[in-house]
Amino acid sequence: MSAQEHPLGISFEFFPPNTEAGRDKLMQTRDALATRGPRFFSVTYGAGGSTQHRTTDTVRMVRESGFTTAPHLSCIGSEKAALRDLLAQYREEGIDSLVALRGDLPSGMGGIGELRYANELVEFIREETGDHFNIAVAAYPETHPQAPNADRDVENFARKMKAGANLAITQYFFNADAYFRFVERARALGVEAPIVPGIMPITNYTKLARFSDACGAEIPRWIRKQLEAYGDDSESIAAFGEDVISRLSQRLLDGGAPGLHFYTLNQAEPSLRVVDNICG
Ligand code: FAD
């Protein structure tokens, strides 16, 4: 694939599909998004390594596009030996980028494991593999839901950047000011690496509300109320969502955001429409 990198610096996230039909759809999505020249694709990971093989299989499939593909890797519930093996496997396969996370332990699943927080995972990856991997970590402009307060959370964020991360990708949000303020606070703590906003296209209110509750992203009242008014009218939701997310993305880029990372949910169209609106 010889598409040039998109001038705005965009990346696209996928989850590992669990059916043949899902795999076929993801290949089409990958090919459609590849035409916009992403910096990289990334593939999520189940906590505790529960769906590890699905991530590794999906990474292989997405890499066939010729674009850098970063597996997500979480440490909670995993032992160092298993993480070491996985890092060795990725190296052998020529993978050089990772998204390093603590993850969340599914209820009923065993112990926490040997590494408690993402900063410990980043340290571990650096100890084991030196500078081989480009490491991205997660950031929370609206504060991670388990953090005692915003100050502690940004300090914890700075700690994991200083452990050797090269890049941060944020949880999605709809309030640009939360992002700008978070970046300012991280810079004041000495974080110099790029902090790329995570962008969630709006396509389905019920799903969006469920995700947002789980991950602590706030849906502003004016967005919620408008989506509620549309009910089952998916065309109106898509048009409104495209407008809101395109304006948010433009505002972030105008304010200095170093790129955009799209949570695609394995769909091409909603992200493509936003990318095409913002570049002109
Ligand atoms: P951490 O950075 O470890 O932070 C977790 C909490 O602990 C925060 O409240 C923080 O303030 C606190 N903390 C951090 N370090 C310390 C410390 N040293 N001492 C005390 N407190 C500390 N989940 C998945 O399961 N799979 C995925 O593929 C996945 N991909 C994601 C990609 C992105 C870009 C984002 C934003 C999130 C993703 N998540 C994923 C969700 C993520 O796993 C959860 O949000 C999880 O709860 C926190 O992971 P973290 O790496 O941010 O944790």
Side-chain angles (χ1 to χ4, degrees), residues 217-242:
E218 187 175 68
I219 309 177
R221 183 179 160 82
W222 64 274
I223 295 183
R224 266 193 296 122
K225 290 290 171 193
Q226 186 59 68
L227 290 171
E228 280 168 15
Y230 289 135
D232 293 336
D233 178 356
S234 50
E235 250 174 57
S236 297
I237 294 175
F240 172 72
E242 178 183 336

Short mmCIF file of all heavy atoms in Angstrom, two decimals, residues 217-242:
data_model
loop_
_atom_site.label_atom_id
_atom_site.label_comp_id
_atom_site.label_asym_id
_atom_site.label_seq_id
_atom_site.Cartn_x
_atom_site.Cartn_y
_atom_site.Cartn_z
N ALA A 217 -16.47 8.98 30.31
CA ALA A 217 -16.49 10.13 29.38
C ALA A 217 -17.85 10.82 29.52
O ALA A 217 -18.89 10.16 29.54
CB ALA A 217 -16.29 9.66 27.95
N GLU A 218 -17.83 12.14 29.60
CA GLU A 218 -19.09 12.86 29.81
C GLU A 218 -19.73 13.23 28.48
O GLU A 218 -19.08 13.83 27.62
CB GLU A 218 -18.81 14.14 30.61
CG GLU A 218 -20.09 14.83 31.00
CD GLU A 218 -19.81 16.02 31.88
OE1 GLU A 218 -19.23 17.01 31.38
OE2 GLU A 218 -20.13 15.96 33.08
N ILE A 219 -21.00 12.86 28.33
CA ILE A 219 -21.74 13.33 27.14
C ILE A 219 -22.47 14.59 27.56
O ILE A 219 -23.36 14.54 28.42
CB ILE A 219 -22.79 12.30 26.66
CG1 ILE A 219 -22.16 10.91 26.50
CG2 ILE A 219 -23.41 12.75 25.35
CD1 ILE A 219 -23.17 9.83 26.09
N PRO A 220 -22.12 15.75 27.00
CA PRO A 220 -22.79 16.98 27.40
C PRO A 220 -24.29 16.88 27.19
O PRO A 220 -24.77 16.22 26.26
CB PRO A 220 -22.17 18.04 26.49
CG PRO A 220 -20.89 17.46 26.02
CD PRO A 220 -21.09 15.97 25.98
N ARG A 221 -25.02 17.58 28.06
CA ARG A 221 -26.48 17.53 28.06
C ARG A 221 -27.07 17.88 26.68
O ARG A 221 -27.98 17.23 26.20
CB ARG A 221 -26.99 18.51 29.13
CG ARG A 221 -28.46 18.53 29.31
CD ARG A 221 -28.82 19.52 30.41
NE ARG A 221 -30.20 19.92 30.31
CZ ARG A 221 -31.22 19.20 30.79
NH1 ARG A 221 -30.99 18.08 31.42
NH2 ARG A 221 -32.45 19.63 30.65
N TRP A 222 -26.48 18.90 26.02
CA TRP A 222 -27.05 19.32 24.74
C TRP A 222 -26.89 18.23 23.68
O TRP A 222 -27.73 18.07 22.81
CB TRP A 222 -26.43 20.65 24.28
CG TRP A 222 -24.95 20.61 23.97
CD1 TRP A 222 -23.92 20.77 24.83
CD2 TRP A 222 -24.36 20.38 22.68
NE1 TRP A 222 -22.73 20.64 24.19
CE2 TRP A 222 -22.96 20.41 22.86
CE3 TRP A 222 -24.86 20.15 21.39
CZ2 TRP A 222 -22.05 20.23 21.81
CZ3 TRP A 222 -23.95 19.98 20.34
CH2 TRP A 222 -22.57 20.01 20.56
N ILE A 223 -25.86 17.42 23.80
CA ILE A 223 -25.69 16.31 22.84
C ILE A 223 -26.66 15.19 23.19
O ILE A 223 -27.37 14.65 22.33
CB ILE A 223 -24.22 15.79 22.85
CG1 ILE A 223 -23.26 16.87 22.35
CG2 ILE A 223 -24.10 14.52 22.01
CD1 ILE A 223 -21.82 16.44 22.25
N ARG A 224 -26.74 14.87 24.49
CA ARG A 224 -27.65 13.80 24.92
C ARG A 224 -29.08 14.10 24.51
O ARG A 224 -29.78 13.27 23.95
CB ARG A 224 -27.60 13.66 26.45
CG ARG A 224 -26.63 12.62 26.92
CD ARG A 224 -26.82 12.28 28.39
NE ARG A 224 -26.55 13.39 29.28
CZ ARG A 224 -27.42 13.89 30.15
NH1 ARG A 224 -28.64 13.39 30.25
NH2 ARG A 224 -27.08 14.89 30.93
N LYS A 225 -29.50 15.33 24.82
CA LYS A 225 -30.90 15.70 24.56
C LYS A 225 -31.22 15.68 23.07
O LYS A 225 -32.30 15.28 22.66
CB LYS A 225 -31.19 17.09 25.15
CG LYS A 225 -31.21 17.08 26.66
CD LYS A 225 -32.43 16.32 27.15
CE LYS A 225 -32.40 16.08 28.64
NZ LYS A 225 -33.41 15.10 29.07
N GLN A 226 -30.25 16.11 22.25
CA GLN A 226 -30.49 16.10 20.80
C GLN A 226 -30.57 14.65 20.30
O GLN A 226 -31.45 14.30 19.51
CB GLN A 226 -29.37 16.85 20.09
CG GLN A 226 -29.60 17.02 18.60
CD GLN A 226 -30.89 17.78 18.29
OE1 GLN A 226 -31.01 18.95 18.57
NE2 GLN A 226 -31.87 17.09 17.71
N LEU A 227 -29.67 13.79 20.79
CA LEU A 227 -29.69 12.39 20.36
C LEU A 227 -30.99 11.71 20.81
O LEU A 227 -31.58 10.93 20.06
CB LEU A 227 -28.47 11.64 20.91
CG LEU A 227 -27.14 12.06 20.27
CD1 LEU A 227 -25.96 11.42 21.01
CD2 LEU A 227 -27.08 11.67 18.79
N GLU A 228 -31.44 12.05 22.02
CA GLU A 228 -32.71 11.47 22.50
C GLU A 228 -33.86 11.91 21.60
O GLU A 228 -34.75 11.12 21.29
CB GLU A 228 -32.99 11.92 23.94
CG GLU A 228 -32.20 11.10 24.96
CD GLU A 228 -32.24 11.73 26.37
OE1 GLU A 228 -33.08 12.61 26.63
OE2 GLU A 228 -31.41 11.33 27.18
N ALA A 229 -33.81 13.15 21.15
CA ALA A 229 -34.89 13.67 20.30
C ALA A 229 -34.96 12.91 18.97
O ALA A 229 -36.04 12.73 18.41
CB ALA A 229 -34.67 15.16 20.04
N TYR A 230 -33.81 12.43 18.48
CA TYR A 230 -33.82 11.71 17.20
C TYR A 230 -34.38 10.30 17.33
O TYR A 230 -34.75 9.69 16.32
CB TYR A 230 -32.41 11.64 16.60
CG TYR A 230 -31.92 12.98 16.09
CD1 TYR A 230 -30.62 13.41 16.37
CD2 TYR A 230 -32.73 13.80 15.31
CE1 TYR A 230 -30.16 14.62 15.92
CE2 TYR A 230 -32.27 15.02 14.84
CZ TYR A 230 -30.99 15.43 15.15
OH TYR A 230 -30.53 16.62 14.69
N GLY A 231 -34.42 9.75 18.54
CA GLY A 231 -34.98 8.40 18.72
C GLY A 231 -34.29 7.39 17.82
O GLY A 231 -33.07 7.25 17.86
N ASP A 232 -35.09 6.70 16.98
CA ASP A 232 -34.53 5.66 16.09
C ASP A 232 -34.10 6.20 14.72
O ASP A 232 -33.79 5.43 13.82
CB ASP A 232 -35.61 4.59 15.81
CG ASP A 232 -35.95 3.82 17.07
OD1 ASP A 232 -35.10 3.78 17.97
OD2 ASP A 232 -37.08 3.30 17.14
N ASP A 233 -34.14 7.48 14.56
CA ASP A 233 -33.83 8.07 13.25
C ASP A 233 -32.29 8.08 13.04
O ASP A 233 -31.60 9.06 13.32
CB ASP A 233 -34.40 9.50 13.22
CG ASP A 233 -34.09 10.22 11.93
OD1 ASP A 233 -33.37 9.65 11.09
OD2 ASP A 233 -34.56 11.36 11.80
N SER A 234 -31.79 6.96 12.55
CA SER A 234 -30.33 6.79 12.51
C SER A 234 -29.66 7.76 11.51
O SER A 234 -28.51 8.14 11.70
CB SER A 234 -29.94 5.35 12.21
OG SER A 234 -30.65 4.90 11.10
N GLU A 235 -30.40 8.17 10.49
CA GLU A 235 -29.81 9.11 9.53
C GLU A 235 -29.53 10.47 10.20
O GLU A 235 -28.47 11.07 10.01
CB GLU A 235 -30.77 9.35 8.37
CG GLU A 235 -30.26 8.74 7.09
CD GLU A 235 -31.30 8.84 5.99
OE1 GLU A 235 -31.74 9.98 5.69
OE2 GLU A 235 -31.66 7.80 5.44
N SER A 236 -30.52 10.91 10.98
CA SER A 236 -30.34 12.20 11.67
C SER A 236 -29.22 12.10 12.71
O SER A 236 -28.44 13.04 12.88
CB SER A 236 -31.63 12.65 12.34
OG SER A 236 -32.62 12.85 11.37
N ILE A 237 -29.16 10.97 13.41
CA ILE A 237 -28.09 10.78 14.40
C ILE A 237 -26.73 10.85 13.71
O ILE A 237 -25.81 11.52 14.17
CB ILE A 237 -28.26 9.44 15.16
CG1 ILE A 237 -29.53 9.50 16.00
CG2 ILE A 237 -27.03 9.12 16.01
CD1 ILE A 237 -29.88 8.20 16.71
N ALA A 238 -26.62 10.17 12.56
CA ALA A 238 -25.34 10.15 11.85
C ALA A 238 -24.96 11.55 11.38
O ALA A 238 -23.80 11.97 11.50
CB ALA A 238 -25.42 9.18 10.67
N ALA A 239 -25.94 12.31 10.87
CA ALA A 239 -25.62 13.65 10.36
C ALA A 239 -25.23 14.58 11.51
O ALA A 239 -24.25 15.33 11.41
CB ALA A 239 -26.84 14.22 9.62
N PHE A 240 -25.97 14.52 12.60
CA PHE A 240 -25.66 15.35 13.77
C PHE A 240 -24.28 14.95 14.33
O PHE A 240 -23.44 15.81 14.62
CB PHE A 240 -26.77 15.15 14.82
CG PHE A 240 -26.48 15.80 16.14
CD1 PHE A 240 -26.52 17.18 16.29
CD2 PHE A 240 -26.19 15.03 17.26
CE1 PHE A 240 -26.28 17.77 17.53
CE2 PHE A 240 -25.94 15.60 18.50
CZ PHE A 240 -25.99 16.99 18.63
N GLY A 241 -24.08 13.64 14.46
CA GLY A 241 -22.81 13.14 15.00
C GLY A 241 -21.63 13.59 14.14
O GLY A 241 -20.60 14.03 14.66
N GLU A 242 -21.79 13.52 12.85
CA GLU A 242 -20.72 13.94 11.94
C GLU A 242 -20.38 15.41 12.15
O GLU A 242 -19.21 15.80 12.22
CB GLU A 242 -21.15 13.68 10.50
CG GLU A 242 -20.12 14.12 9.48
CD GLU A 242 -20.60 13.91 8.04
OE1 GLU A 242 -21.48 13.04 7.81
OE2 GLU A 242 -20.11 14.61 7.15
#
